[in-house]
Amino acid sequence: QVQLVEFGGGSVQAAGSLRLSCQASGYTERPNCMGWIRQTPGKEREVVAAIYIGGGGTFYTNSVRGRFTISEVATKNTVTMYLQLDSLKPEDTAMYYCAAAPYVPVDRTLQASAYTFWGQGTQVTVSS
């Protein structure tokens, strides 16, 4: 079991920036991979960014590459994952979820179904 708690989010004008953070705790084995997944009503869930914990790579969906930056800081008992959102666009408006999994193969890092544990979500709203 992994507890995930997100922080950040809010409302911003287009071209602005936000920073999301997610703290993972309560696990007996540290997650291998964590990601940020967004969803808007009527659309499928989209993994916007993912990261292997402790090194090993970062992954971005095409629509956010160059604008969003994922990072993480791991201790023995917790992992804090960040998502820096720059040059925000109205189409980035969504509920953003932190997600984690014990193991995600590299060809599934951008698939929402690969993630086992989810946070409660935080809303990001970008106005034009």
Side-chain angles (χ1 to χ4, degrees):
Q1 190 71 15
V2 181
Q3 282 79 51
L4 300 170
V5 180
E6 296 108 335
F7 303 92
S11 297
V12 65
Q13 289 191 328
S17 296
L18 285 172
R19 191 189 199 201
L20 308 182
S21 60
C22 170
Q23 186 169 72
S25 62
Y27 48 80
T28 54
E29 183 175 350
R30 192 172 72 184
N32 152 268
C33 185
M34 294 180 65
W36 289 98
I37 301 172
R38 68 185 179 188
Q39 187 166 28
T40 54
K43 292 187 177 181
E44 290 191 5
R45 299 173 302 178
E46 178 184 35
V47 182
V48 297
I51 187 167
Y52 280 122
I53 305 305
T58 58
F59 308 87
Y60 298 92
T61 193
N62 288 339
S63 63
V64 309
R65 188 174 291 112
R67 300 189 298 119
F68 292 6
T69 304
I70 192 171
S71 61
E72 55 89 5
V73 176
T75 66
K76 180 180 178 182
N77 297 312
T78 63
V79 176
T80 303
M81 178 178 65
Y82 303 95
L83 187 67
Q84 179 68 36
L85 299 80
D86 296 319
S87 302
L88 280 161
K89 303 175 181 180
E91 51 264 43
D92 294 318
T93 295
M95 185 72 78
Y96 283 71
Y97 297 90
C98 169
Y103 173 74
V104 178
V106 66
D107 59 346
R108 295 196 64 206
T109 53
L110 295 181
Q111 295 180 11
S113 60
Y115 295 87
T116 311
F117 305 104
W118 292 62
Q120 79 283 1
T122 186
Q123 178 69 34
V124 171
T125 302
V126 184
S127 58
S128 56

